[in-house]
């Protein structure tokens, strides 16, 4: 019955190694917690500071001006008015951007997934990836030079939505291509073997099958652009009234936040509108996750 | 509320777009809203700075621009067509600061130069203490806050500084945007005000209303007569007690009037004399001019005091009316 | 047959549109930037003089380029320990567990917070903290904005690198364990070397994000058009100077701002391409 | 290496393959010079080791290779007397249905819609009563009607694997094609489901001609009338199933059937 | 179903397994109540049909299951007299080396570094000369030295499969463990590489105790001294290899050895 023959060289100092291992583990946990803590802090801060302002008026009134806010503060009331002009503006511009970006994005995505290895497709794919990294402020400049100066001859919702739609495009292209690539080719071949022409296979079989994925991509793109401020500052400008004319300056929720931030009288509104914006964006993200878990093929 | 009212008006089609100075924005916001309420005409105003107002008019993307710095003859020539200046009110650029529990700092022109040139860097600097013997200054860095965008407010301020300081005149000069020797930048009058309000130790120049509305303390400045003057409706009006040229293009800084606040000035709206450009409708032109006519009327001018601006002197209103009458639509009279 | 052709054409045309869009972007930026480059030549990139005073106009982008690189690099450095830890948490320590799911969702939430809200939070929460800690007097500056930026890019670096860490085969890890390694030793000697290029790529992509971030930086950096003298000094970035001055710029200044936009476009394009290249090589 | 190939001659073939070669990459042929006739109303099994070109041959028959431009096809195939390359592919594929290895009902469609998918996807307008009729008939043909008649509007993907595969057959039958191609249609199914499909095939050959790729030798022996044996892309032996199994002419065939390789 | 188990008793076992049960999911045991002793300086083969728990048993011996919190292990294992759960796992695993089914050299390390990976991983500082010595000795032991001595600083992944597997054995030998666990170490290798590894094992048992999981019955018969036969997680039979192969006591063992299943 042999005693265990421990090795001579390496076995000493193992407790130090165990301690090192533990310390590193604790470091990882600690830093991970630090990494996510801003989410918690930001949400708590927004709720504490902003919830007071959120009521019906907040959604149906336009933004107040400094004087109205001042009077209210002096009387100890809550600031009157809301962000209706921002909400309608955001909706208007995001809708418009979607109308432009979704068809082109999906069609290009289809083209890429159907022509995987073509040189042209590769070029487009690379361009789309580069587009995805272009800072939004640069898109603002471009939309200003294209739309504000030449087309609408003035700051406009349309100019704002053009910059947003360029932001959305690569996201939609990518998600469309990825979704379609994931659909097994036998589904496609099954339809073809029924004598269905190719373009009908794409639109009637592949797109419906990948609907969940497409929707996820679109919603994600929308949630990305909803919070954009910089490009809108130099294209849509902002407006103190509700405006549905796409050739006219228009407000948006993030633009209002910027205005409120700059005007300490309206500070209370900055929190509530940020709370609203973030709540909305996060809700979209949650919906996306739901769809992704349930609907996406495979 | 606005929603239902604007829907009923038959004039709802006309939207007037304007952009420019943030200095008079509190006044504009208020009167614009009133005008929309009573006429249904939508007015949007973007506070993008005086420089932005001029460029927007040049690019013909607004119905009128707003600026606190009048255009030089040269600048006027560089515009695509003849433009006119309409003064809308008088305002003051105040020196606002954030020092907890310190009120009523008195500043001389030398001190202003020292602070804004970055030579005086501490609040408890001997020179400041000597001028304000009653005040107990903390040992704190002075952080100058200036505009990061182009601005008529900056123009008025630097116009004043250039008049009173030779060093400033040669090293910095006057203009809507400058190469600042020190300090941090913030966007628009609101941005500067917000930064000052939130950051102890700061000092900066802003349109008076931004300081009063937010109860930010302002410094008393020494005018030519040697009096320390607080910016208010009277002291601002006093600055305009001088000869105003017919085209109203004049700077009122460093006024000789003993009661005048030294950094005061007009703020203007600029528009094309001939409103028939770029396919604008006559209706659009008419409504624009009508609105401006209302803006210099007593109705609108009365509002100025509520937001700590001063109304235009009677004589200036007359001159403004004269100018407005020259605005036409392809030769046709609009007023 | 006809429908088939039409479909093919439509798909092709929409892709062509992307090409035109990109070409148009480059053309417009170049075109707009030409007056500035004509006037200042290489000095536009190598001079830090930004003087908009009428009559003395002179524009050089160096201080913004430096500010951009400084904030982004600092943000990246600050981000690495956090996102590296989080990706080990997600990809190794708690791989495929519920708690990792929760942490992962929180990290995703970080990506969902709009830039301007980060700026707001930075202004009202982080900036006073910086002042209280005595780093500098007013709280604005390179460090403050880099700190916020680092939080903003955590999700981009984390989600990709945790996926790559997850992909390190179990058999390699087990081989190391069977030689008596601790988990920490396995991470440093097996997981990180194996996943290295993917992790590097994810940081490059995160860096690309930081370069173009605008609002949060604008609200915190101090907007002083000078080369910062230290990490706690104020400065300005390329994106932020555009946001600040584009609204009122004209003539040479406008052209200079467009030129800065072009530079920013090129820098982010190159950085992102490098990142994607590494990723594509991996798969 | 020249081998003694034994290829039976079919009279009045419904389909004639003539010197067919298919290559995925230049110079490498997955199917080489295959010629054969297919007998009407019979089940023809295609056997051979993995990678020998069975699927490739089958897919050439309904011109499925055309989707992938890099694939090159030489030789001719005749449906009756007509060259299939002269028939519009849409029409051809309705005449030559196909069932795949793994059941692949359209995931977004109901059972009902899956059966008439061919009409629906083509946008052919037919009356509701006509549709009902087709659905019932096709599902009856594949002996699925009783199992699903109460859930026609549920998703097809909720069915079991065997039911899904029968649904896929029904989808093909809805057009009443002449020929049905099947590529290992039972390899993803359990023995019970497999037996049902085999019974079905035997039933279907009364009306249709079936070409069946299978790995399962006993299946080929059980249900096919004629069998092909392929090896390295070539058709080695083609004959009456019984005689091919009991008395193979080609040496490779024999080795394969006795389990020497495969 | 009660079966007649036949389990040999080993005197002075170097390793003793006592009532070992392992479950991946609650209530389902992949290894059930296994007890056995392992003889020093011998090769013990573990056989059994796929999924019977061979790998699971093997991995329990160096506590590899601990890496996956959901796996539950009951029972005890003794190394000599010491309960292995009382030995720090990092120490235990250096004493009980492991070689895996697929060769898995560390892809980022050179051949040289792969051999001394054990030292490198845990940061042990040893002199260069000592390192060289270990590397040469271990590579000689696995008969790889002559083949790689000129490319010690190339990546280990450039070697052939068989060479890689020998490298993995060398890596394990570098610590001079008492016991070496091997999970089908030759199943990914060609016959020539397999023969080399088998020769190596016979050579190694002079110094080490080897426990070998294998699917290959002839391999077990060729090189092992003792054999275990497992079935559905239970140890059915354990005895001298020769007598187990020629005269199995347990009926399942017999069926398995005669190819009735597996
Ligand atoms: N899409 C493809 N691209 C390139 N080569 C292919 C492709 N599909 C098949 N091949 C090759 O063509 C040859 C024949 O393939 P095929 O699929 O026809 O064989 P099979 O007899 O159906 O095999 P299995 O029984 O495995 O299904 C094989 O060598 C295969 O590797
Ligand atoms: N990680 C795991 N999670 C869940 N179940 C597992 C896991 N690994 C193995 N099993 C199950 O445990 C049982 C025993 O598996 P084990 O790998 O030990 O079998 P084996 O005898 O090694 O088989 P093979 O010869 O195929 O390698 C099997 O039923 C298997 O499905
Ligand atoms: Mg096949
Ligand atoms: Mg196993």
């Amino acid at each position: 019955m042999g005693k265990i023959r421990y090795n001579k060289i390496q076995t000493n100092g193992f407790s130090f190694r165990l301690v090192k291992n533990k310390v590193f583990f604790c470091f990882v946990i600690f830093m991970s917690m630090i990494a996510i803590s801003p989410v918690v802090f930001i949400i708590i801060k927004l709720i504490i500071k902003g919830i007071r302002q959120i009521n019906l008026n907040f959604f149906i009134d336009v933004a107040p001006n400094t004087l109205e806010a001042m009077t209210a503060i002096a009387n100890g009331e809550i600031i009157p008015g809301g962000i209706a002009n921002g909400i309608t503006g955001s909706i208007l511009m995001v809708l418009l951007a979607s109308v432009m970006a979704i068809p082109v994005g999906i069609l290009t995505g289809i083209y890429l997934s159907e022509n995987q290895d073509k040189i042209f497709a590769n070029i487009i794919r690379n361009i789309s990836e580069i587009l995805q990294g272009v800072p939004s402020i640069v898109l603002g400049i471009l939309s200003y030079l294209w739309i504000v100066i030449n087309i609408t001859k003035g700051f406009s919702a349309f100019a704002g939505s053009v910059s947003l739609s360029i932001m959305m495009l690569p996201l939609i292209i990518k998600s469309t291509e990825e979704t379609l690539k994931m659909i097994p080719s036998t589904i496609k071949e099954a339809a073809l073997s029924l004598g269905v022409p190719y373009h009908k296979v794409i639109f009637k079989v592949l797109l419906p099958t990948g609907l969940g994925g497409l929707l996820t991509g679109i919603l994600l793109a929308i949630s990305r652009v909803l919070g954009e401020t910089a490009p809108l500052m130099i294209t849509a400008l902002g407006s103190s009234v509700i405006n549905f004319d796409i050739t006219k300056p228009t407000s948006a929720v993030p633009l209002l936040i910027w205005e409120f931030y700059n005007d300490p009288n309206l500070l209370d509104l900055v929190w509530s509108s940020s709370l609203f914006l973030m709540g909305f964006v996060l809700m979209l993200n949650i919906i996306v996750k739901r769809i992704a878990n349930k609907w996406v093929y495979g | 509320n606005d929603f239902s009212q604007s829907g009923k008006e038959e004039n709802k089609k006309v939207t007037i777009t304007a952009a420019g100075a943030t200095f008079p924005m509190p006044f504009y916001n208020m009167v614009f809203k009133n005008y929309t309420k009573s006429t249904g005409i939508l007015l949007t105003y973007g506070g993008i700075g005086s420089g932005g107002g001029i460029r927007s008019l040049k690019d013909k993307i607004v119905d009128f621009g707003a600026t606190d710095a009048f255009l030089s003859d040269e600048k006027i020539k560089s515009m695509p067509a003849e433009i006119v200046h309409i003064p809308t009110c008088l305002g003051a650029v105040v020196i606002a600061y954030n020092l907890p529990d310190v009120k009523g700092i008195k500043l001389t022109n030398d001190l202003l130069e020292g602070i804004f040139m970055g030579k005086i860097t501490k609040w408890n600097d001997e020179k400041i203490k000597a001028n304000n013997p009653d005040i107990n200054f903390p040992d704190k860095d002075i952080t100058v806050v200036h505009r990061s965008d182009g601005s008529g407010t900056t123009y008025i301020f630097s116009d004043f500084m250039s008049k009173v300081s030779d060093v400033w005149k040669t090293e910095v000069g006057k203009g809507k945007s400058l190469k600042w020797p020190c300090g941090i930048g913030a966007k628009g009058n609101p941005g500067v005000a917000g930064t000052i309000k939130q950051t102890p130790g700061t000092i900066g120049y802003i349109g008076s209303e931004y300081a009063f509305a937010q109860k930010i303390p302002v410094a008393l400045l020494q005018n030519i007569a040697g009096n320390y003057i607080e910016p208010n409706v009277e002291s601002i009006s006093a600055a305009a007690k001088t000869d105003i040229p017919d085209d109203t293009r004049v700077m009122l800084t460093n006024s000789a009037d003993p009661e005048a606040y030294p950094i005061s000035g007009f703020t203007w709206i600029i528009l094309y004399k001939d409103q028939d450009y770029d396919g604008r409708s006559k209706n659009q032109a008419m409504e624009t001019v009508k609105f401006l006519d209302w803006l210099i009327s007593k109705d609108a001018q009365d509002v100025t005091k509520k937001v700590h601006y001063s109304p235009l002197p009677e004589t200036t209103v007359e001159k403004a009316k004269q100018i407005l009458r020259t605005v036409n639509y392809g030769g046709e009279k609009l007023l | 047959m006809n429908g088939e052709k039409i479909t093919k054409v439509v798909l092709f045309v929409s892709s062509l549109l992307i090409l035109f869009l990109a070409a148009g972007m480059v053309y417009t930026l170049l075109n707009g930037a030409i007056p500035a480059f004509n006037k200042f030549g290489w000095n536009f990139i190598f001079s830090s003089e930004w003087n908009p005073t009428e009559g003395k106009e002179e524009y050089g982008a160096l201080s913004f380029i430096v500010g951009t690189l400084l904030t982004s690099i600092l943000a990246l450095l600050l981000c690495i320990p956090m996102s590296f830890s989080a990706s080990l948490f997600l990809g190794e320590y708690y791989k495929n567990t519920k708690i990792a799911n929760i942490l992962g969702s929180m990290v995703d939430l970080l990506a969902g917070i709009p830039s301007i809200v980060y700026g707001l939070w930075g202004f009202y929460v982080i900036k006073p903290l910086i002042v209280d800690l005595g780093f500098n007097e007013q709280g604005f500056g390179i460090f403050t904005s880099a700190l916020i930026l680092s939080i903003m890019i955590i999700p981009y670096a984390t989600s990709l690198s945790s996926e790559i860490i997850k992909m390190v085969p179990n058999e390699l890890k087990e081989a190391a364990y069977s030689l008596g390694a601790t988990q920490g030793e396995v991470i440093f000697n097996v997981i990180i070397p194996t996943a290295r290029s993917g992790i590097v790529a994810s940081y490059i992509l995160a860096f690309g994000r930081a370069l173009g971030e605008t609002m949060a930086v604008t609200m915190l950096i101090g907007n002083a058009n000078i080369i910062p003298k230290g990490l706690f000094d104020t400065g300005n970035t390329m994106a932020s100077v555009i946001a600040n001055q584009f609204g009122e710029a004209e003539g040479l200044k406008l052209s200079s701002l467009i030129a800065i936009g072009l530079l920013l476009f090129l820098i982010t394009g190159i950085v992102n391409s490098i990142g994607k290249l590494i990723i594509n090589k991996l798969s | 290496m020249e081998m003694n190939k034994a290829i039976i001659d079919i009279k009045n073939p419904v389909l004639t393959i003539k010197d067919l070669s298919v290559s995925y990459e230049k110079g490498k042929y997955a199917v080489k010079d295959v010629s054969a006739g297919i007998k009407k109303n019979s089940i023809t099994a295609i056997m051979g080791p993995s990678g020998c070109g069975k699927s490739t041959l089958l897919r050439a028959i309904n011109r499925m290779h055309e989707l992938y431009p890099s694939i090159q096809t030489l030789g001719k195939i005749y449906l009756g007397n007509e060259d299939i390359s002269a028939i519009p592919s849409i029409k051809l594929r309705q005449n030559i249905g196909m069932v795949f290895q793994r059941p692949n009902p359209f995931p977004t469609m109901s059972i009902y819609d899956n059966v008439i998918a061919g009409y629906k996807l083509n946008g052919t307008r037919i009356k509701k009563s006509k549709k009902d009729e087709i659905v019932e008939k096709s599902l009856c043909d594949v002996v699925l009607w009783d199992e699903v008649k109460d859930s026609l509007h549920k998703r097809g993907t909720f069915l079991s694997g065997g039911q899904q595969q029968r649904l896929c057959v029904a989808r093909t039958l809805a057009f009443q094609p002449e020929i049905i191609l099947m590529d290992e249609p039972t390899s993803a199914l359990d023995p019970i489901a497999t037996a049902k499909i085999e019974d079905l095939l035997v039933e279907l050959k009364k009306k249709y001609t079936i070409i069946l790729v299978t790995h399962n030798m006993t299946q080929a022996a059980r249900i096919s009338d004629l069998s092909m044996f392929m090896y390295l892309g070539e058709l080695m032996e083609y004959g009456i199933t019984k005689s091919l199994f009991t008395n193979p002419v080609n040496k490779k065939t024999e080795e394969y059937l006795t389990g020497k390789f495969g």
Side-chain angles (χ1 to χ4, degrees), chain A residues 130-151:
Chain A
I130 289 174
L131 278 188
Q132 202 181 332
V134 177
S136 59
I137 185 82
V138 175
L139 300 181
I141 294 181
L142 288 162
S143 181
Y144 180 89
L145 297 176
W146 288 340
I147 313 293
V148 174
I149 290 191
N150 293 314
I151 312 269

Side-chain angles (χ1 to χ4, degrees), chain C residues 74-183:
Chain C
L74 188 58
L76 187 64
L77 293 179
L78 290 170
C79 156
I80 285 175
M82 293 187 276
S83 86
F84 178 66
S85 298
S87 55
L88 281 178
F89 190 110
L90 296 174
E92 169 65 15
Y93 284 107
Y94 292 95
K95 188 176 173 179
N96 301 331
T97 59
K98 224 176 206 151
I99 178 166
N101 230 334
I102 296 171
L103 189 96
S105 311
M106 304 261 283
V107 169
D108 287 347
L109 283 191
L110 276 179
I113 299 175
S115 175
I116 189 154
V117 174
Y118 274 112
L120 215 58
W121 186 69
F123 189 86
Y124 285 104
V125 178
I126 298 299
K127 188 185 68 115
L129 213 65
I130 299 274
V131 175
D132 288 346
L133 291 175
F135 287 136
N136 67 3
E137 280 264 353
Q138 17 70 14
F140 291 100
I142 300 284
F143 183 77
T144 314
S145 14
L147 194 62
I148 288 292
L149 267 183
S150 73
I151 297 169
M152 297 176 73
I153 60 175
I154 284 176
Y156 300 101
T158 305
S159 56
L160 189 56
S161 47
S162 71
E163 286 305 313
I164 283 164
I165 287 173
K166 250 190 220 170
M167 271 160 35
V168 173
N170 263 342
E171 51 185 52
L172 279 186
K173 291 189 235 169
E174 288 182 357
Y177 282 119
S178 76
L179 293 172
T182 62
Q183 192 166 16

Side-chain angles (χ1 to χ4, degrees), chain B residues 51-52 55 58 75 140-141 143 148-150 170-172 174 176-179 183-185 187 195 198-199, chain C residues 49 51-54 56 123-124 127 137-138 140 222-224 234 243-250 253-254:
Chain B
R55 190 184 81 189
K58 190 174 181 181
K75 259 275 155 65
K140 212 165 171 26
D141 283 350
T143 305
S148 64
D149 51 347
T170 50
E171 285 186 21
V172 182
K174 70 175 172 182
K176 287 193 290 296
S177 50
L178 305 169
K179 180 174 188 286
I184 60 179
K187 199 165 185 322
T195 305
Q198 301 295 336
T199 319
Chain C
E49 180 79 7
N51 189 349
T53 317
E54 267 169 64
K56 295 195 248 176
F123 189 86
Y124 285 104
K127 188 185 68 115
E137 280 264 353
Q138 17 70 14
F140 291 100
N223 298 310
T234 53
N244 269 307
Q245 311 207 336
F246 193 83
E248 38 84 21
E250 57 178 333
K253 188 171 178 184
L254 181 64

Side-chain angles (χ1 to χ4, degrees), chain A residues 148-162:
Chain A
V148 174
I149 290 191
N150 293 314
I151 312 269
T152 55
K153 309 246 189 245
F155 300 107
S156 65
F158 180 58
S161 56
V162 165

Side-chain angles (χ1 to χ4, degrees), chain D residues 54-56 101 183-184 213:
Chain D
K54 305 183 295 292
S55 301
T56 308
Q101 184 169 6
D183 193 352
E184 308 190 35
V213 167

Side-chain angles (χ1 to χ4, degrees), chain D residues 52-68:
Chain D
C52 68
K54 305 183 295 292
S55 301
T56 308
L57 173 61
L58 197 74
R59 292 159 65 86
I61 297 174
N62 71 348
R63 286 170 50 193
M64 203 52 103
H65 294 315
E66 279 175 12
L67 299 178
Y68 309 94

Side-chain angles (χ1 to χ4, degrees), chain A residues 91-269:
Chain A
I91 292 175
L92 176 70
M93 284 191 274
V94 169
L95 269 185
L96 206 56
S98 303
V99 166
M100 292 184 280
I102 292 174
V104 178
I106 289 184
L107 290 174
T108 308
I110 295 173
Y111 180 84
L112 294 186
S113 79
E114 291 300 320
N115 299 280
Q116 282 301 325
D117 301 322
K118 276 199 186 158
I119 293 175
F120 181 69
N122 267 328
I123 292 173
I124 299 295
R125 194 174 296 116
N126 287 331
I127 287 179
S128 164
E129 285 189 342
I130 289 174
L131 278 188
Q132 202 181 332
V134 177
S136 59
I137 185 82
V138 175
L139 300 181
I141 294 181
L142 288 162
S143 181
Y144 180 89
L145 297 176
W146 288 340
I147 313 293
V148 174
I149 290 191
N150 293 314
I151 312 269
T152 55
K153 309 246 189 245
F155 300 107
S156 65
F158 180 58
S161 56
V162 165
S163 60
L164 297 186
S165 76
I166 303 177
M167 277 189 78
M168 293 173 71
L169 257 179
L171 295 170
I172 296 178
I173 292 175
K174 176 115 189 167
S175 72
T176 305
E177 188 191 352
E178 295 294 320
T179 305
L180 293 184
K181 268 198 329 208
M182 260 167 40
I183 299 175
S185 65
T186 57
I187 295 272
K188 192 163 85 175
E189 291 181 353
L192 284 166
S193 72
L194 291 172
V196 180
Y198 196 67
H199 64 281
K200 288 191 179 161
V201 175
I202 291 174
F203 292 107
K204 292 190 172 174
V205 177
L206 295 187
L207 284 190
T209 306
L211 190 67
L214 299 192
L215 219 59
T216 313
I218 290 169
L219 288 184
L220 216 60
I222 287 179
S223 83
R224 262 303 148 67
V225 300
L226 261 182
E228 270 306 323
T229 318
L232 297 185
M233 264 165 55
I234 58 180
T235 51
L237 189 67
S239 159
S240 56
V241 294
I242 291 174
N243 168 46
F244 290 112
D245 184 344
I246 64 167
T247 64
K248 291 283 181 255
T250 305
S251 196
V253 178
L255 279 180
L256 282 183
I257 295 177
W258 175 239
E259 282 167 25
F260 296 156
Y261 157 78
N262 275 328
D263 191 339
N265 281 313
L266 302 172
L267 208 60
D268 285 354
L269 281 173

